[in-house]
Amino acid sequence: MGLPSDDVILIQEGKKPGEPCVITVNCPDKTGLGCDICSIILDFGLYITKGDISTDGVWCYIVLWVVPHSSSFIVRWSSLKNRLQSVCPSYSVPFFLYEQPACYSSSPVYLLKFFCLDRKGLLRDVTQVLSELELIIQRVKVTTTPDGIVLDLLFITDNMELLHTKERQHETLEQLHAVLGESCITCELLLAGPEYECHQGIISLSPIVAEELFRCELSDNQNHSQALSPDMTKLKKANVTVDNSLSPAHTLLQIHCADHKGLLYDIMRTLKDWHIQIAYGRFSPNTNGYRDLDLFIQQKDGKKIVDIEKQSALCSRLKVEMLHPLRVIIANRGPDLELLVANPVELSGKGRPRVFYDVTLALKTLGICIFSAEIGRHSASDREWEVYRFLLDERSNVVARTQIVDRVRRTLMGW
């Protein structure tokens, strides 16, 4: 398969603007490696145009062609390489370790706290700065006072593991001051204490809101807050088939569905949670808005999936995750409107990348101010969800609910 090399990750940038960059991964295998790699690529704002995966159960070889979702987005390729290397098993470690569950080191959590005068797009601008600095928002509590003062508490971790240094802290505060400008009253960054535990509790939802948010199917009812706009109805179509006749040792999983941002991540995340191992896979380019994926897979015990009920359950779960990976609704919260966005959490505990980034972008594009915001977890449908709550400014009532949901969903899905 592959040979041990210091170049576990190779990145070949495109020679011309708009030309895909080729990422090659050559390392020992482990269950869920494809999911971890796709998660990082999504976190860096990259779109996978096509890909090939091959493994003999010991060594893994992955080739992915990627382009930025936005032409204006600047990718730190050296940082991307470091992040990808961090999830790859080292070839110096005995190969049998690939079967062990992945263990994710917990980075120190820091509290970013600032007071400033409110303005349109403020939270979006702060989120963009943090994203460019590779600082990840773990929890957030945003409150706006009646006199227009914003108190933001953002609990963040550093993908570069440098936030303990004075230089990194100075860089972060300097860039935040630059974007906040004269509206900034105070801004400080310190290691989070017990207050972090107070802000990571379970989010409480009313039964009616929870039932609508976590339902499995998208509604055709145009009065339903998650209803698809007419031009998006094709997205309700997806085909997943299982074939055991082509290989004596592997089950062939064939997928055909509409394309969206993070599609390969959603598929890999589902297979990882089901402890499914991929021997070979091909991710075809976008054709008329659709993608095809062929995967030769095995169960954790190295056997094919022959049980009909398990085949059906896996196909059903994949369809749900491809058609409805993110839930977006508008609910009433007293006289105000509340936007709720939810995504399933991996069994490892990791949430989906860039959700907060995309939602704040969509709201800024619509000219909607955020009165308050928070991130938490909620258990429903026998799984854990990451829930984002945004209490919208009263002026948002002039924008139709369906327009808000549609714009947020389109931004999240890259449509």
Side-chain angles (χ1 to χ4, degrees), residues 183-217:
S183 65
C184 182
I185 301 172
T186 62
C187 183
E188 58 181 330
L189 178 64
L190 60 156
L191 194 63
E195 67 271 19
Y196 177 63
E197 301 297 329
C198 298
H199 288 276
Q200 62 174 351
I202 301 299
I203 281 188
S204 177
L205 301 173
S206 71
I208 295 177
V209 170
E211 196 249 335
E212 181 177 359
L213 186 61
F214 301 118
R215 70 171 66 228
C216 291
E217 299 295 333

mmCIF file of all heavy atoms in Angstrom, residues 183-217:
data_model
loop_
_atom_site.group_PDB
_atom_site.id
_atom_site.type_symbol
_atom_site.label_atom_id
_atom_site.label_comp_id
_atom_site.label_asym_id
_atom_site.label_seq_id
_atom_site.Cartn_x
_atom_site.Cartn_y
_atom_site.Cartn_z
ATOM 1 N N SER A 183 -15.910 51.514 18.853
ATOM 2 C CA SER A 183 -17.089 51.030 19.582
ATOM 3 C C SER A 183 -16.702 50.145 20.770
ATOM 4 O O SER A 183 -17.515 49.883 21.653
ATOM 5 C CB SER A 183 -18.011 50.245 18.653
ATOM 6 O OG SER A 183 -17.368 49.065 18.191
ATOM 7 N N CYS A 184 -15.433 49.681 20.792
ATOM 8 C CA CYS A 184 -14.979 48.790 21.858
ATOM 9 C C CYS A 184 -14.755 49.561 23.157
ATOM 10 O O CYS A 184 -14.059 50.586 23.173
ATOM 11 C CB CYS A 184 -13.690 48.093 21.439
ATOM 12 S SG CYS A 184 -13.066 46.923 22.659
ATOM 13 N N ILE A 185 -15.362 49.072 24.242
ATOM 14 C CA ILE A 185 -15.192 49.681 25.563
ATOM 15 C C ILE A 185 -14.099 48.948 26.320
ATOM 16 O O ILE A 185 -13.136 49.560 26.787
ATOM 17 C CB ILE A 185 -16.519 49.664 26.345
ATOM 18 C CG1 ILE A 185 -17.599 50.433 25.568
ATOM 19 C CG2 ILE A 185 -16.336 50.242 27.752
ATOM 20 C CD1 ILE A 185 -18.989 50.323 26.163
ATOM 21 N N THR A 186 -14.241 47.636 26.450
ATOM 22 C CA THR A 186 -13.193 46.811 27.052
ATOM 23 C C THR A 186 -13.130 45.475 26.310
ATOM 24 O O THR A 186 -14.133 45.000 25.777
ATOM 25 C CB THR A 186 -13.453 46.526 28.551
ATOM 26 O OG1 THR A 186 -14.675 45.782 28.688
ATOM 27 C CG2 THR A 186 -13.528 47.810 29.354
ATOM 28 N N CYS A 187 -11.955 44.877 26.308
ATOM 29 C CA CYS A 187 -11.760 43.574 25.661
ATOM 30 C C CYS A 187 -10.637 42.862 26.386
ATOM 31 O O CYS A 187 -9.535 43.407 26.525
ATOM 32 C CB CYS A 187 -11.422 43.752 24.184
ATOM 33 S SG CYS A 187 -11.231 42.209 23.273
ATOM 34 N N GLU A 188 -10.904 41.661 26.885
ATOM 35 C CA GLU A 188 -9.881 40.921 27.609
ATOM 36 C C GLU A 188 -9.943 39.432 27.282
ATOM 37 O O GLU A 188 -10.981 38.905 26.898
ATOM 38 C CB GLU A 188 -10.021 41.134 29.118
ATOM 39 C CG GLU A 188 -11.363 40.746 29.702
ATOM 40 C CD GLU A 188 -11.426 41.023 31.206
ATOM 41 O OE1 GLU A 188 -10.373 40.957 31.860
ATOM 42 O OE2 GLU A 188 -12.519 41.286 31.709
ATOM 43 N N LEU A 189 -8.810 38.780 27.447
ATOM 44 C CA LEU A 189 -8.671 37.359 27.143
ATOM 45 C C LEU A 189 -7.947 36.686 28.298
ATOM 46 O O LEU A 189 -6.864 37.112 28.693
ATOM 47 C CB LEU A 189 -7.867 37.181 25.847
ATOM 48 C CG LEU A 189 -7.570 35.754 25.380
ATOM 49 C CD1 LEU A 189 -8.864 35.024 25.033
ATOM 50 C CD2 LEU A 189 -6.637 35.781 24.165
ATOM 51 N N LEU A 190 -8.563 35.658 28.863
ATOM 52 C CA LEU A 190 -7.960 34.962 29.997
ATOM 53 C C LEU A 190 -8.378 33.507 30.000
ATOM 54 O O LEU A 190 -9.343 33.113 29.337
ATOM 55 C CB LEU A 190 -8.359 35.619 31.313
ATOM 56 C CG LEU A 190 -9.853 35.677 31.669
ATOM 57 C CD1 LEU A 190 -10.015 35.785 33.171
ATOM 58 C CD2 LEU A 190 -10.507 36.885 31.005
ATOM 59 N N LEU A 191 -7.627 32.698 30.730
ATOM 60 C CA LEU A 191 -7.931 31.281 30.841
ATOM 61 C C LEU A 191 -9.277 31.110 31.534
ATOM 62 O O LEU A 191 -9.534 31.714 32.576
ATOM 63 C CB LEU A 191 -6.836 30.572 31.631
ATOM 64 C CG LEU A 191 -6.804 29.038 31.572
ATOM 65 C CD1 LEU A 191 -6.541 28.561 30.154
ATOM 66 C CD2 LEU A 191 -5.725 28.509 32.516
ATOM 67 N N ALA A 192 -10.157 30.293 30.952
ATOM 68 C CA ALA A 192 -11.493 30.108 31.520
ATOM 69 C C ALA A 192 -11.430 29.362 32.838
ATOM 70 O O ALA A 192 -10.633 28.437 33.007
ATOM 71 C CB ALA A 192 -12.386 29.367 30.535
ATOM 72 N N GLY A 193 -12.283 29.756 33.753
ATOM 73 C CA GLY A 193 -12.365 29.109 35.053
ATOM 74 C C GLY A 193 -13.676 28.356 35.196
ATOM 75 O O GLY A 193 -14.225 27.841 34.209
ATOM 76 N N PRO A 194 -14.238 28.294 36.392
ATOM 77 C CA PRO A 194 -15.489 27.572 36.642
ATOM 78 C C PRO A 194 -16.670 28.096 35.829
ATOM 79 O O PRO A 194 -17.638 27.377 35.607
ATOM 80 C CB PRO A 194 -15.728 27.800 38.146
ATOM 81 C CG PRO A 194 -14.382 28.133 38.700
ATOM 82 C CD PRO A 194 -13.655 28.859 37.622
ATOM 83 N N GLU A 195 -16.580 29.348 35.366
ATOM 84 C CA GLU A 195 -17.700 29.910 34.608
ATOM 85 C C GLU A 195 -17.943 29.148 33.309
ATOM 86 O O GLU A 195 -19.054 29.159 32.769
ATOM 87 C CB GLU A 195 -17.471 31.396 34.305
ATOM 88 C CG GLU A 195 -16.323 31.690 33.355
ATOM 89 C CD GLU A 195 -14.989 31.873 34.062
ATOM 90 O OE1 GLU A 195 -14.855 31.430 35.223
ATOM 91 O OE2 GLU A 195 -14.070 32.440 33.450
ATOM 92 N N TYR A 196 -16.891 28.464 32.782
ATOM 93 C CA TYR A 196 -17.088 27.696 31.555
ATOM 94 C C TYR A 196 -18.076 26.566 31.776
ATOM 95 O O TYR A 196 -18.925 26.283 30.928
ATOM 96 C CB TYR A 196 -15.750 27.129 31.064
ATOM 97 C CG TYR A 196 -15.886 26.268 29.827
ATOM 98 C CD1 TYR A 196 -16.345 26.807 28.634
ATOM 99 C CD2 TYR A 196 -15.556 24.917 29.850
ATOM 100 C CE1 TYR A 196 -16.472 26.029 27.496
ATOM 101 C CE2 TYR A 196 -15.674 24.129 28.717
ATOM 102 C CZ TYR A 196 -16.130 24.694 27.542
ATOM 103 O OH TYR A 196 -16.261 23.916 26.414
ATOM 104 N N GLU A 197 -17.984 25.901 32.925
ATOM 105 C CA GLU A 197 -18.905 24.816 33.243
ATOM 106 C C GLU A 197 -20.333 25.321 33.325
ATOM 107 O O GLU A 197 -21.287 24.627 32.963
ATOM 108 C CB GLU A 197 -18.511 24.157 34.568
ATOM 109 C CG GLU A 197 -17.104 23.572 34.590
ATOM 110 C CD GLU A 197 -16.929 22.456 33.582
ATOM 111 O OE1 GLU A 197 -17.918 21.743 33.311
ATOM 112 O OE2 GLU A 197 -15.812 22.280 33.065
ATOM 113 N N CYS A 198 -20.502 26.546 33.787
ATOM 114 C CA CYS A 198 -21.849 27.115 33.924
ATOM 115 C C CYS A 198 -22.493 27.378 32.575
ATOM 116 O O CYS A 198 -23.709 27.444 32.467
ATOM 117 C CB CYS A 198 -21.799 28.421 34.725
ATOM 118 S SG CYS A 198 -21.191 28.236 36.410
ATOM 119 N N HIS A 199 -21.660 27.548 31.537
ATOM 120 C CA HIS A 199 -22.184 27.901 30.221
ATOM 121 C C HIS A 199 -22.211 26.729 29.250
ATOM 122 O O HIS A 199 -22.443 26.905 28.074
ATOM 123 C CB HIS A 199 -21.356 29.040 29.617
ATOM 124 C CG HIS A 199 -21.579 30.356 30.268
ATOM 125 N ND1 HIS A 199 -22.626 31.198 29.929
ATOM 126 C CD2 HIS A 199 -20.912 30.993 31.268
ATOM 127 C CE1 HIS A 199 -22.574 32.301 30.659
ATOM 128 N NE2 HIS A 199 -21.544 32.203 31.488
ATOM 129 N N GLN A 200 -21.947 25.505 29.715
ATOM 130 C CA GLN A 200 -21.966 24.374 28.791
ATOM 131 C C GLN A 200 -23.020 23.348 29.176
ATOM 132 O O GLN A 200 -22.903 22.174 28.884
ATOM 133 C CB GLN A 200 -20.589 23.718 28.714
ATOM 134 C CG GLN A 200 -20.087 23.130 30.013
ATOM 135 C CD GLN A 200 -18.788 22.372 29.791
ATOM 136 O OE1 GLN A 200 -18.366 22.158 28.657
ATOM 137 N NE2 GLN A 200 -18.156 21.954 30.859
ATOM 138 N N GLY A 201 -24.073 23.795 29.842
ATOM 139 C CA GLY A 201 -25.140 22.897 30.226
ATOM 140 C C GLY A 201 -26.042 22.547 29.058
ATOM 141 O O GLY A 201 -25.866 22.988 27.929
ATOM 142 N N ILE A 202 -27.032 21.732 29.364
ATOM 143 C CA ILE A 202 -27.992 21.305 28.349
ATOM 144 C C ILE A 202 -28.953 22.439 28.046
ATOM 145 O O ILE A 202 -29.480 23.106 28.944
ATOM 146 C CB ILE A 202 -28.773 20.075 28.842
ATOM 147 C CG1 ILE A 202 -27.804 18.923 29.141
ATOM 148 C CG2 ILE A 202 -29.809 19.656 27.825
ATOM 149 C CD1 ILE A 202 -27.016 18.455 27.947
ATOM 150 N N ILE A 203 -29.201 22.676 26.767
ATOM 151 C CA ILE A 203 -30.178 23.687 26.356
ATOM 152 C C ILE A 203 -31.575 23.103 26.480
ATOM 153 O O ILE A 203 -31.845 21.988 26.025
ATOM 154 C CB ILE A 203 -29.908 24.148 24.912
ATOM 155 C CG1 ILE A 203 -28.762 25.154 24.905
ATOM 156 C CG2 ILE A 203 -31.144 24.760 24.288
ATOM 157 C CD1 ILE A 203 -28.518 25.815 23.574
ATOM 158 N N SER A 204 -32.449 23.852 27.108
ATOM 159 C CA SER A 204 -33.829 23.406 27.311
ATOM 160 C C SER A 204 -34.711 23.945 26.190
ATOM 161 O O SER A 204 -34.687 25.141 25.894
ATOM 162 C CB SER A 204 -34.336 23.896 28.676
ATOM 163 O OG SER A 204 -35.689 23.537 28.861
ATOM 164 N N LEU A 205 -35.470 23.040 25.571
ATOM 165 C CA LEU A 205 -36.388 23.417 24.501
ATOM 166 C C LEU A 205 -37.784 22.933 24.834
ATOM 167 O O LEU A 205 -37.951 21.870 25.433
ATOM 168 C CB LEU A 205 -35.943 22.811 23.168
ATOM 169 C CG LEU A 205 -34.548 23.179 22.647
ATOM 170 C CD1 LEU A 205 -34.216 22.347 21.421
ATOM 171 C CD2 LEU A 205 -34.465 24.657 22.318
ATOM 172 N N SER A 206 -38.780 23.691 24.439
ATOM 173 C CA SER A 206 -40.158 23.253 24.653
ATOM 174 C C SER A 206 -40.431 22.029 23.789
ATOM 175 O O SER A 206 -39.809 21.855 22.728
ATOM 176 C CB SER A 206 -41.134 24.371 24.285
ATOM 177 O OG SER A 206 -41.176 24.563 22.883
ATOM 178 N N PRO A 207 -41.351 21.157 24.201
ATOM 179 C CA PRO A 207 -41.638 19.946 23.409
ATOM 180 C C PRO A 207 -42.041 20.247 21.968
ATOM 181 O O PRO A 207 -41.651 19.522 21.047
ATOM 182 C CB PRO A 207 -42.796 19.293 24.189
ATOM 183 C CG PRO A 207 -42.617 19.778 25.597
ATOM 184 C CD PRO A 207 -42.096 21.180 25.470
ATOM 185 N N ILE A 208 -42.797 21.335 21.759
ATOM 186 C CA ILE A 208 -43.248 21.679 20.406
ATOM 187 C C ILE A 208 -42.063 22.083 19.535
ATOM 188 O O ILE A 208 -41.922 21.639 18.389
ATOM 189 C CB ILE A 208 -44.293 22.819 20.464
ATOM 190 C CG1 ILE A 208 -45.558 22.343 21.174
ATOM 191 C CG2 ILE A 208 -44.628 23.307 19.055
ATOM 192 C CD1 ILE A 208 -46.617 23.421 21.343
ATOM 193 N N VAL A 209 -41.182 22.936 20.081
ATOM 194 C CA VAL A 209 -40.008 23.383 19.330
ATOM 195 C C VAL A 209 -39.062 22.215 19.064
ATOM 196 O O VAL A 209 -38.546 22.050 17.953
ATOM 197 C CB VAL A 209 -39.278 24.507 20.092
ATOM 198 C CG1 VAL A 209 -37.931 24.804 19.437
ATOM 199 C CG2 VAL A 209 -40.129 25.771 20.134
ATOM 200 N N ALA A 210 -38.840 21.377 20.070
ATOM 201 C CA ALA A 210 -37.941 20.234 19.918
ATOM 202 C C ALA A 210 -38.458 19.265 18.862
ATOM 203 O O ALA A 210 -37.690 18.733 18.042
ATOM 204 C CB ALA A 210 -37.773 19.522 21.254
ATOM 205 N N GLU A 211 -39.769 19.034 18.855
ATOM 206 C CA GLU A 211 -40.350 18.093 17.896
ATOM 207 C C GLU A 211 -40.177 18.594 16.461
ATOM 208 O O GLU A 211 -39.879 17.833 15.540
ATOM 209 C CB GLU A 211 -41.836 17.900 18.207
ATOM 210 C CG GLU A 211 -42.429 16.675 17.542
ATOM 211 C CD GLU A 211 -43.413 17.028 16.442
ATOM 212 O OE1 GLU A 211 -43.991 18.116 16.463
ATOM 213 O OE2 GLU A 211 -43.586 16.186 15.564
ATOM 214 N N GLU A 212 -40.330 19.904 16.270
ATOM 215 C CA GLU A 212 -40.161 20.468 14.933
ATOM 216 C C GLU A 212 -38.690 20.505 14.522
ATOM 217 O O GLU A 212 -38.346 20.203 13.380
ATOM 218 C CB GLU A 212 -40.739 21.884 14.884
ATOM 219 C CG GLU A 212 -40.631 22.527 13.513
ATOM 220 C CD GLU A 212 -41.255 23.901 13.447
ATOM 221 O OE1 GLU A 212 -41.802 24.371 14.463
ATOM 222 O OE2 GLU A 212 -41.183 24.520 12.364
ATOM 223 N N LEU A 213 -37.814 20.838 15.464
ATOM 224 C CA LEU A 213 -36.396 20.991 15.157
ATOM 225 C C LEU A 213 -35.743 19.664 14.808
ATOM 226 O O LEU A 213 -34.892 19.596 13.914
ATOM 227 C CB LEU A 213 -35.678 21.642 16.337
ATOM 228 C CG LEU A 213 -34.206 22.014 16.161
ATOM 229 C CD1 LEU A 213 -34.034 23.034 15.037
ATOM 230 C CD2 LEU A 213 -33.628 22.557 17.459
ATOM 231 N N PHE A 214 -36.136 18.591 15.500
ATOM 232 C CA PHE A 214 -35.439 17.319 15.337
ATOM 233 C C PHE A 214 -36.211 16.297 14.509
ATOM 234 O O PHE A 214 -35.843 15.127 14.481
ATOM 235 C CB PHE A 214 -35.110 16.732 16.711
ATOM 236 C CG PHE A 214 -34.257 17.639 17.556
ATOM 237 C CD1 PHE A 214 -34.720 18.134 18.759
ATOM 238 C CD2 PHE A 214 -33.004 18.023 17.125
ATOM 239 C CE1 PHE A 214 -33.944 18.982 19.536
ATOM 240 C CE2 PHE A 214 -32.217 18.868 17.887
ATOM 241 C CZ PHE A 214 -32.686 19.351 19.089
ATOM 242 N N ARG A 215 -37.276 16.715 13.842
ATOM 243 C CA ARG A 215 -37.991 15.778 12.984
ATOM 244 C C ARG A 215 -37.079 15.317 11.863
ATOM 245 O O ARG A 215 -36.213 16.056 11.390
ATOM 246 C CB ARG A 215 -39.278 16.398 12.438
ATOM 247 C CG ARG A 215 -39.060 17.497 11.425
ATOM 248 C CD ARG A 215 -40.371 17.921 10.756
ATOM 249 N NE ARG A 215 -41.278 18.552 11.701
ATOM 250 C CZ ARG A 215 -42.563 18.230 11.814
ATOM 251 N NH1 ARG A 215 -43.059 17.261 11.064
ATOM 252 N NH2 ARG A 215 -43.340 18.868 12.663
ATOM 253 N N CYS A 216 -37.273 14.092 11.390
ATOM 254 C CA CYS A 216 -36.365 13.498 10.408
ATOM 255 C C CYS A 216 -36.638 13.938 8.979
ATOM 256 O O CYS A 216 -35.745 13.952 8.150
ATOM 257 C CB CYS A 216 -36.432 11.970 10.482
ATOM 258 S SG CYS A 216 -35.737 11.293 12.006
ATOM 259 N N GLU A 217 -37.887 14.284 8.693
ATOM 260 C CA GLU A 217 -38.246 14.574 7.314
ATOM 261 C C GLU A 217 -38.507 16.063 7.117
ATOM 262 O O GLU A 217 -39.017 16.741 7.994
ATOM 263 C CB GLU A 217 -39.516 13.790 6.914
ATOM 264 C CG GLU A 217 -39.359 12.279 7.002
ATOM 265 C CD GLU A 217 -38.344 11.742 6.022
ATOM 266 O OE1 GLU A 217 -38.135 12.385 4.968
ATOM 267 O OE2 GLU A 217 -37.748 10.699 6.309
#
